Amino acid sequence: MQSLLEKFKDFIDISPNTPRISLGEGDTPLVWSRMFDQKYGFPNVYFKLESCNPTGSFKDRGMVVAVAKALEKKAKVIICSSTGNTSASASAYGGRYGLKTVVLIPSTDVPISKLAQSIICGAHVVRISGSFDNAMAMVKALEDSSVLTVVNSINTDRIEGQKTAAFEIVDDLGDAPDYVCLPVGNGGNIYAYWRGFHDFALKAVSSKQPKLMGFQASGSAPIVDQERVLSPKTIASAIRIGNPANWEKAVMAVRESNGLISKVTDREIIDAWQMLASQEGIFCEPSSAAGVAGLLKLIHNQQLSAQQSIVCIITGTGLKDVSLVEQSDIQSSKPFQVINDLSELQVFLRKL
Ligand code: F0G
């Protein structure tokens, strides 16, 4: 299979000397939505399943470029702060390509399934007191080090790689969609989509650029509320960020694309998350559902017209954060039943 680096070499900032490493990232499915068609009368809604990347999130697209560039520069150590997905991705690529990997995670609330990915890959996992923002501040202070390569999205190589998701959407649809809905944490991904769609429009590969619709969780919405959040709170742990590292770039992406940045409540996120699983068969991270919750809100508020083409980015897999399945008040969840024999099973089946 052709590596993402080779496939998009003319569109991303790499040189002939950049090693064409790969863990099979990219080329993720674009799946048509039954639910938005049948329930809401929107026949052109799609999900981009970034959860199908090798470590289960979109981070792999950016990480492959960041790690390739680190190898090109003969770096020995990569470091990142993370709410769990960047660290999982850095750990996988770092392990595979023989780089020492240090990941700084907030002292609480990183789901064990994400941590497990770093631990099993042999990364050095360090807990930092406080929230993600404290860890990010430390990493930023190390950015100029000659020994370490920072692989957070403040590293522009990450953005180069993440642009490729926009290229794939244009390739699959034959043109750019009208809207792209996605969750926003640090703001790197929404900026990367803007860059990707902008590049393709400039080179006339596509005829237009989509409006980028970013959604933060309401207890953790510094960009929407235009003020840092000291103790960000939301069930969507991946986007629990009070001081986004790419704040200005995210605002620029929204402004230039005529999009918007708005917020959704935890209740709306959980409802969208559960609907995606039960009605579309897509089990994503709660954070990924924020973009879909946002789209539902726009439709309810009659801010969109039905024929427009819309892509929701499913940023990470649900298997990364399963604790919420038990914790949440999920309407359709039914208690487990214990059945002792075939006749009890037959009674149970008759009652379905
Ligand atoms: N969705 C998921 C699943 C994420 O892991 C993240 C960010 C986002 C959305 C937001 O993307 O930060 O580019 O605006 N996760 C980072 C991490 C912070 O450390 O894994 P963003």
Side-chain angles (χ1 to χ4, degrees), residues 211-240:
K211 293 183 171 62
L212 297 178
M213 318 298 267
F215 296 94
Q216 300 197 291
S218 54
S220 179
I223 304 182
V224 184
D225 297 338
Q226 297 183 26
E227 115 177 285
R228 274 193 213 177
V229 180
L230 286 181
S231 306
K233 288 186 183 56
T234 167
I235 46 103
S237 60
I239 54 170
R240 192 182 293 137

Short mmCIF file of all heavy atoms in Angstrom, two decimals, residues 211-240:
data_model
loop_
_atom_site.label_atom_id
_atom_site.label_comp_id
_atom_site.label_asym_id
_atom_site.label_seq_id
_atom_site.Cartn_x
_atom_site.Cartn_y
_atom_site.Cartn_z
N LYS A 211 -17.65 25.46 4.48
CA LYS A 211 -17.72 26.23 5.73
C LYS A 211 -17.34 25.28 6.85
O LYS A 211 -17.89 24.18 6.95
CB LYS A 211 -19.15 26.74 5.96
CG LYS A 211 -19.59 27.77 4.94
CD LYS A 211 -21.00 28.26 5.30
CE LYS A 211 -21.43 29.44 4.46
NZ LYS A 211 -21.53 29.17 3.02
N LEU A 212 -16.40 25.69 7.68
CA LEU A 212 -15.95 24.82 8.77
C LEU A 212 -16.74 25.15 10.03
O LEU A 212 -16.74 26.30 10.49
CB LEU A 212 -14.46 24.99 8.99
CG LEU A 212 -13.59 24.57 7.79
CD1 LEU A 212 -12.12 24.81 8.06
CD2 LEU A 212 -13.82 23.10 7.43
N MET A 213 -17.41 24.14 10.57
CA MET A 213 -18.27 24.32 11.74
C MET A 213 -17.65 23.57 12.91
O MET A 213 -17.71 22.33 12.97
CB MET A 213 -19.68 23.76 11.45
CG MET A 213 -20.22 24.09 10.06
SD MET A 213 -20.40 25.86 9.78
CE MET A 213 -22.10 26.08 10.25
N GLY A 214 -17.02 24.32 13.81
CA GLY A 214 -16.33 23.69 14.94
C GLY A 214 -17.19 23.74 16.19
O GLY A 214 -17.92 24.71 16.42
N PHE A 215 -17.09 22.69 17.00
CA PHE A 215 -17.90 22.65 18.23
C PHE A 215 -17.04 22.29 19.43
O PHE A 215 -16.29 21.31 19.41
CB PHE A 215 -19.06 21.65 18.07
CG PHE A 215 -20.00 22.09 16.99
CD1 PHE A 215 -19.85 21.63 15.68
CD2 PHE A 215 -20.99 23.03 17.25
CE1 PHE A 215 -20.68 22.08 14.66
CE2 PHE A 215 -21.82 23.49 16.24
CZ PHE A 215 -21.68 23.01 14.94
N GLN A 216 -17.18 23.12 20.47
CA GLN A 216 -16.53 22.84 21.74
C GLN A 216 -17.60 22.38 22.73
O GLN A 216 -18.79 22.61 22.52
CB GLN A 216 -15.87 24.12 22.28
CG GLN A 216 -14.80 24.66 21.33
CD GLN A 216 -13.87 25.65 22.00
OE1 GLN A 216 -14.29 26.76 22.34
NE2 GLN A 216 -12.62 25.27 22.19
N ALA A 217 -17.15 21.73 23.81
CA ALA A 217 -18.10 21.33 24.86
C ALA A 217 -18.36 22.55 25.74
O ALA A 217 -17.45 23.33 26.02
CB ALA A 217 -17.49 20.19 25.67
N SER A 218 -19.62 22.71 26.19
CA SER A 218 -19.97 23.98 26.83
C SER A 218 -19.18 24.26 28.12
O SER A 218 -18.96 25.42 28.44
CB SER A 218 -21.47 24.09 27.05
OG SER A 218 -21.91 22.98 27.76
N GLY A 219 -18.73 23.23 28.82
CA GLY A 219 -17.93 23.48 30.03
C GLY A 219 -16.46 23.70 29.72
O GLY A 219 -15.62 23.78 30.63
N SER A 220 -16.15 23.76 28.45
CA SER A 220 -14.76 23.79 28.02
C SER A 220 -14.68 24.51 26.67
O SER A 220 -14.18 23.98 25.70
CB SER A 220 -14.31 22.32 27.91
OG SER A 220 -13.01 22.22 27.50
N ALA A 221 -15.23 25.74 26.65
CA ALA A 221 -15.41 26.43 25.36
C ALA A 221 -14.71 27.79 25.32
O ALA A 221 -15.34 28.82 25.09
CB ALA A 221 -16.90 26.58 25.08
N PRO A 222 -13.39 27.81 25.51
CA PRO A 222 -12.70 29.10 25.58
C PRO A 222 -12.81 29.93 24.29
O PRO A 222 -12.92 31.15 24.36
CB PRO A 222 -11.24 28.70 25.84
CG PRO A 222 -11.14 27.27 25.41
CD PRO A 222 -12.48 26.68 25.66
N ILE A 223 -12.81 29.25 23.14
CA ILE A 223 -12.83 30.03 21.88
C ILE A 223 -14.21 30.68 21.71
O ILE A 223 -14.32 31.86 21.38
CB ILE A 223 -12.46 29.15 20.66
CG1 ILE A 223 -11.08 28.49 20.88
CG2 ILE A 223 -12.46 29.97 19.38
CD1 ILE A 223 -10.57 27.64 19.73
N VAL A 224 -15.25 29.90 21.99
CA VAL A 224 -16.61 30.44 21.85
C VAL A 224 -16.83 31.57 22.86
O VAL A 224 -17.33 32.64 22.51
CB VAL A 224 -17.67 29.34 22.11
CG1 VAL A 224 -19.07 29.87 21.87
CG2 VAL A 224 -17.40 28.13 21.23
N ASP A 225 -16.42 31.33 24.10
CA ASP A 225 -16.67 32.33 25.16
C ASP A 225 -15.60 33.42 25.20
O ASP A 225 -15.69 34.35 25.99
CB ASP A 225 -16.73 31.62 26.53
CG ASP A 225 -17.90 30.64 26.60
OD1 ASP A 225 -18.85 30.80 25.80
OD2 ASP A 225 -17.84 29.70 27.42
N GLN A 226 -14.61 33.27 24.33
CA GLN A 226 -13.52 34.25 24.20
C GLN A 226 -12.80 34.51 25.50
O GLN A 226 -12.45 35.64 25.84
CB GLN A 226 -14.05 35.55 23.61
CG GLN A 226 -14.58 35.34 22.21
CD GLN A 226 -15.04 36.61 21.55
OE1 GLN A 226 -14.60 37.70 21.88
NE2 GLN A 226 -15.94 36.47 20.62
N GLU A 227 -12.62 33.43 26.27
CA GLU A 227 -11.82 33.57 27.48
C GLU A 227 -11.33 32.21 27.94
O GLU A 227 -12.04 31.21 27.83
CB GLU A 227 -12.66 34.34 28.51
CG GLU A 227 -13.07 33.67 29.74
CD GLU A 227 -13.83 34.64 30.66
OE1 GLU A 227 -13.21 35.51 31.29
OE2 GLU A 227 -15.06 34.48 30.70
N ARG A 228 -10.08 32.18 28.41
CA ARG A 228 -9.49 30.94 28.91
C ARG A 228 -10.36 30.31 29.98
O ARG A 228 -10.95 31.03 30.79
CB ARG A 228 -8.17 31.24 29.59
CG ARG A 228 -7.02 31.30 28.68
CD ARG A 228 -5.79 31.29 29.56
NE ARG A 228 -4.76 32.08 28.94
CZ ARG A 228 -3.58 32.30 29.50
NH1 ARG A 228 -3.32 31.84 30.70
NH2 ARG A 228 -2.68 32.98 28.86
N VAL A 229 -10.40 28.99 30.03
CA VAL A 229 -11.15 28.30 31.08
C VAL A 229 -10.11 27.63 31.99
O VAL A 229 -9.35 26.78 31.55
CB VAL A 229 -12.10 27.24 30.48
CG1 VAL A 229 -12.88 26.53 31.58
CG2 VAL A 229 -13.04 27.88 29.47
N LEU A 230 -10.10 28.04 33.26
CA LEU A 230 -9.05 27.53 34.15
C LEU A 230 -9.27 26.07 34.52
O LEU A 230 -8.33 25.29 34.59
CB LEU A 230 -8.97 28.39 35.41
CG LEU A 230 -8.31 29.75 35.16
CD1 LEU A 230 -8.24 30.55 36.45
CD2 LEU A 230 -6.90 29.59 34.56
N SER A 231 -10.53 25.69 34.77
CA SER A 231 -10.82 24.27 35.08
C SER A 231 -11.85 23.75 34.09
O SER A 231 -13.03 23.69 34.40
CB SER A 231 -11.39 24.13 36.48
OG SER A 231 -10.56 24.71 37.40
N PRO A 232 -11.41 23.40 32.88
CA PRO A 232 -12.38 22.94 31.87
C PRO A 232 -13.07 21.66 32.32
O PRO A 232 -12.44 20.78 32.90
CB PRO A 232 -11.51 22.69 30.64
CG PRO A 232 -10.12 22.59 31.12
CD PRO A 232 -10.03 23.37 32.39
N LYS A 233 -14.38 21.60 32.04
CA LYS A 233 -15.15 20.42 32.46
C LYS A 233 -16.03 19.94 31.31
O LYS A 233 -16.75 20.71 30.71
CB LYS A 233 -16.07 20.79 33.63
CG LYS A 233 -15.32 21.01 34.92
CD LYS A 233 -16.27 21.23 36.09
CE LYS A 233 -15.49 21.53 37.36
NZ LYS A 233 -14.57 22.67 37.25
N THR A 234 -15.93 18.65 31.01
CA THR A 234 -16.84 17.99 30.07
C THR A 234 -16.59 16.50 30.14
O THR A 234 -15.48 16.07 30.48
CB THR A 234 -16.64 18.47 28.61
OG1 THR A 234 -17.32 17.58 27.73
CG2 THR A 234 -15.18 18.51 28.19
N ILE A 235 -17.62 15.72 29.80
CA ILE A 235 -17.43 14.27 29.73
C ILE A 235 -16.53 13.92 28.53
O ILE A 235 -15.96 12.84 28.48
CB ILE A 235 -18.77 13.50 29.60
CG1 ILE A 235 -19.66 14.15 28.57
CG2 ILE A 235 -19.48 13.42 30.93
CD1 ILE A 235 -19.73 13.47 27.29
N ALA A 236 -16.41 14.83 27.57
CA ALA A 236 -15.62 14.57 26.35
C ALA A 236 -14.15 14.87 26.66
O ALA A 236 -13.64 15.95 26.36
CB ALA A 236 -16.15 15.43 25.21
N SER A 237 -13.46 13.90 27.24
CA SER A 237 -12.13 14.17 27.81
C SER A 237 -11.10 14.62 26.76
O SER A 237 -10.19 15.37 27.08
CB SER A 237 -11.61 12.94 28.56
OG SER A 237 -11.50 11.83 27.69
N ALA A 238 -11.25 14.18 25.52
CA ALA A 238 -10.26 14.53 24.50
C ALA A 238 -10.25 16.03 24.20
O ALA A 238 -9.23 16.58 23.78
CB ALA A 238 -10.50 13.75 23.21
N ILE A 239 -11.39 16.69 24.40
CA ILE A 239 -11.46 18.14 24.11
C ILE A 239 -11.64 18.96 25.40
O ILE A 239 -12.15 20.07 25.36
CB ILE A 239 -12.56 18.46 23.06
CG1 ILE A 239 -13.93 17.90 23.48
CG2 ILE A 239 -12.17 17.94 21.70
CD1 ILE A 239 -15.09 18.40 22.61
N ARG A 240 -11.18 18.38 26.51
CA ARG A 240 -11.26 19.12 27.78
C ARG A 240 -10.03 20.03 27.86
O ARG A 240 -9.04 19.74 28.52
CB ARG A 240 -11.30 18.11 28.93
CG ARG A 240 -11.68 18.74 30.26
CD ARG A 240 -11.65 17.71 31.37
NE ARG A 240 -12.67 16.70 31.24
CZ ARG A 240 -12.45 15.39 31.44
NH1 ARG A 240 -11.25 14.95 31.74
NH2 ARG A 240 -13.43 14.52 31.32
#
